[in-house]
Amino acid sequence: MLLAMLLTALVLGGAVPYASGPGRAYLSYLVLARQDDAAGAALAGAQSRAAGGQVVQEYPQIGAVLAYATGGFADRVRARPGIAAVGATRTAPVVGPPRAVDGAGDFAAGDAVGGTAGAVGSGSAGGGGWGVRGSEGRDGGTATLPDPGEGGAWNLSMVHAEQGRTGDAAGGGAPGAEAMRKVLVAVLDSGVDDTHPDLRAAVDPKASASCADGRPDARAGAWRPDPGVTESGHGTHVAGIIGAARDGQGVTGVAPGVRIAAVRLLGPLGQYYAENIVCGMLWAADHGAKAVNDSYFADPWKYNCPEDRDQAALIAAVGRAVAYAQRKGAVVVASAGNDGQDLGAARTDGRSPNDRVSGPPLTRHLGTECIRLPGELPGVLTVTAVNRDGRPSSYTNYGRGRVSLAAPGGDPDGGPQGAIVSDWPGGQYAALAGTSMAAAHVTGAVAVAAALHPGAGSGELAGVVVGAAAAGAAAGGCPVGARGCGDRQYVGVGVVVVPR
């Protein structure tokens, strides 16, 4: 019965990506060696195979591998020398490891330093059947809008993106088109429709890939959303906020002219598993991204707790990948989440694990040591949401010392005037609200900072963006009083301002 349910879920979620097994149930595991380099990955792979696992991907950048196995695999590998951590990345088993795909698994695929952007193919990604988890939480269909003609973008005005727009002769310090074109931003999300008129010149196919099963797949179009999977339009919406073209039609991004690496993380079961995140982060770093946008939380656990050995391994693996991207010069930006919770206080989690095939979720009572991935990892810019009036949105997570800054996220009940209007697959537009949208504004600001400061490292670029937000707050750029800029648990240092 379990196997039948799994197969049904896979078929409903898209093409079945797993090889059939002999009636056995497999879990996926991240295995980390103590040595976080290629030699460590080789050791982790050898120990995994010796313990009966099937290694489907090595991560030599961080000394880890992705393995599939049955039974007591984790305990067997944990007992082997040189292993730092082992953790199951899912709770619902599958019938086998991912099937072999020609070209999957190579982090060097594509152009390691970017390339000329442009769409691959000319067909529409389709307009029917698109859904969205609603920026981390609200399933269902998404109503589309008429072409807004780049009008009424209150969010761009709030972050000063319309002052000295990119490429203007009187830009007031804005970087030119050539400088922007040299900057690559990675959108780790549900996929990006690079045939959308606002994005076809922005998405760089040589820097784009799918990591939907933990393996980099750079085949043409692999980065595009799958309309058969709920929430697939989310990444296109986020990408539009960051870098939609300024051409008089549709919407304009915070950083028009930037190149976008579309990295699809969303798998066929509607999950952002830890191996997908690790794969995407490493791909983005190795292809020269200066900013990595993460508008999601890691599945299946909304919060990962270090006292649990599986979850501790996931924290370590994603943490290594984030640190690798930061060392390679990327600023990692993440949404704070839409649960209205104080990340610095004890709280409950009533959704996890969210990959179960039956039964109710657990109600977990969590301490402050339990964290969202990747938003609460060291050095990540974690972004809360504000409404059109500049006040924190009712849904946004917050927490003193846990969030970095705020950005427009909008009101989910505000319609086009109160939410964030951006691109939607099939050449369409939609109004969404959430910290997902807020994070994208900050990523766009990082892209502008990177164009203004070529050669700057991750820490310097993050400092430029945080400093601009703090200066804006000091100059009265956001409301005062309760839940205003004086209360840093809601907005961090202040509301993001695009640097000039």
Side-chain angles (χ1 to χ4, degrees), residues 106-161:
D106 183 6
F107 282 100
D111 183 353
V113 293
T116 302
V120 177
S122 59
S124 169
W130 294 100
V132 64
R133 186 164 63 181
S135 325
E136 308 183 35
R138 296 180 301 114
D139 287 326
T142 299
T144 56
L145 305 170
D147 185 336
E150 295 187 348
W154 64 267
N155 51 309
L156 297 185
S157 298
M158 178 177 286
V159 302
H160 300 177

Side-chain angles (χ1 to χ4, degrees), residues 73-87:
F73 172 78
D75 288 336
R76 291 195 298 272
V77 181
R78 286 173 185 140
R80 292 183 172 269
I83 298 300
V86 181

Side-chain angles (χ1 to χ4, degrees), residues 279-307:
C279 170
M281 200 71 65
L282 300 180
W283 175 274
D286 284 348
H287 284 75
K290 300 303 291 183
V292 181
N293 191 87
D294 302 274
S295 291
Y296 57 86
F297 61 87
D299 297 310
W301 306 101
K302 181 178 281 286
Y303 298 98
N304 285 268
C305 302
E307 61 268 23

Side-chain angles (χ1 to χ4, degrees), residues 29 36 49 158 259 372 447 467:
Y29 297 86
D36 60 351
R49 295 183 187 96
M158 178 177 286
R259 287 187 299 120
R372 286 173 54 90

